[in-house]
Amino acid sequence: MKLIVGLGNPGARYAGNRHNIGFMALDELARVHRPPSWRTRFQGEATGLDFAGDKLLLLKPQTFMNESGRAVAEAARFFKIATRDVIVFHDELDLAPGKLRVKLGGGNAGHNGLRSITAHIGNDYWRVRMGIGHPGDKALVHAYVLNDFGKAERPWVEDLCRACADHLALLVNGQDSAFLSKVHLELEARGHLDIRRPGEAG
């Protein structure tokens, strides 16, 4: 079994925030692959799915971002899921909008959700880093991630989440390079990966 986690903050107030792109990705996985309805479990919203020869548990922690590890650890313990079978979708300031990176372990780069997960289960889990761009000034980061995606950003966000859902089997089966390639090809075909970061000259 693999645990697929999307990071975000709970509640309608935060639903459209850049920080919530992990929730958006999991909502799209559920829309495309049609598991049973989300249930309140493991201090989060969870659902299960038989997929690509494996069982998946989808989890959106409802603990707020900086306590995400509590929900992840509870679910992992219940199903005896190894840390290396945990895959976390999260926002990444240091990647251009629409860019992805997939990495096992590594630093948390100041991300409170990752820091919490690492504190609870260790560091050797997979991260799907979903680029949202950087506002250009460290002082602006907090407001930037807790503001909604703008109208002009929504098409690439939706297409990125859909591409992740469409090629999930590659990620689950350990073909992370192929997963990245397929997702980026789709985003490039739709003209999204030349998007400039906020504040860059035209």
Side-chain angles (χ1 to χ4, degrees):
M1 175 178 268
K2 290 184 172 62
L3 173 56
I4 313 296
V5 180
L7 294 185
N9 285 307
R13 173 184 172 187
Y14 302 100
N17 287 182
R18 295 183 180 92
H19 219 17
N20 273 40
I21 196 170
F23 276 11
M24 297 172 195
L26 255 67
D27 285 338
E28 185 64 7
L29 295 186
R31 191 189 71 79
V32 170
H33 299 294
R34 299 183 179 279
S37 297
W38 296 97
R39 294 172 54 200
T40 300
R41 295 185 76 187
F42 311 121
Q43 302 180 64
E45 293 181 357
T47 185
L49 180 65
D50 290 322
F51 182 78
D54 208 340
K55 290 185 180 296
L56 306 182
L57 177 67
L58 308 184
L59 176 67
K60 296 186 294 182
Q62 300 294 295
T63 52
F64 287 98
M65 185 70 80
N66 63 354
E67 295 288 351
S68 298
R70 292 197 287 117
V72 174
E74 187 175 326
R77 280 195 305 269
F78 185 87
F79 287 108
K80 297 180 171 61
I81 299 171
T83 303
R84 285 188 174 230
D85 288 327
V86 176
I87 300 170
V88 179
F89 286 81
H90 67 91
D91 58 302
E92 177 57 67
L93 285 161
D94 293 329
L95 288 176
K99 281 282 190 181
L100 283 187
R101 290 288 182 272
V102 179
K103 186 177 184 181
L104 177 65
N108 298 324
H111 195 290
N112 289 332
L114 298 182
R115 184 183 290 119
S116 177
I117 293 171
T118 295
H120 282 82
I121 69 169
N123 204 45
D124 292 332
Y125 55 92
W126 289 92
R127 302 106 190 275
V128 182
R129 302 165 58 199
M130 307 180 75
I132 61 170
H134 195 287
D137 184 334
K138 187 175 180 180
L140 301 176
V141 164
H142 183 76
Y144 177 73
V145 299
L146 293 180
N147 273 315
D148 289 357
F149 284 107
K151 184 177 180 180
E153 296 174 285
R154 290 174 199 157
W156 71 256
V157 174
E158 292 169 2
D159 287 342
L160 176 60
C161 291
R162 178 57 188 266
C164 287
D166 286 345
H167 301 295
L168 180 64
L170 294 171
L171 182 64
V172 168
N173 289 327
Q175 301 176 61
D176 49 289
S177 294
F179 170 76
L180 284 175
S181 178
K182 291 283 190 181
V183 171
H184 283 155
L185 282 172
E186 286 198 19
L187 272 288
E188 287 171 1
R190 294 176 179 270
H192 294 313
L193 291 186
D194 61 350
I195 294 173
R196 298 179 185 275
R197 298 183 183 212
E200 288 184 338

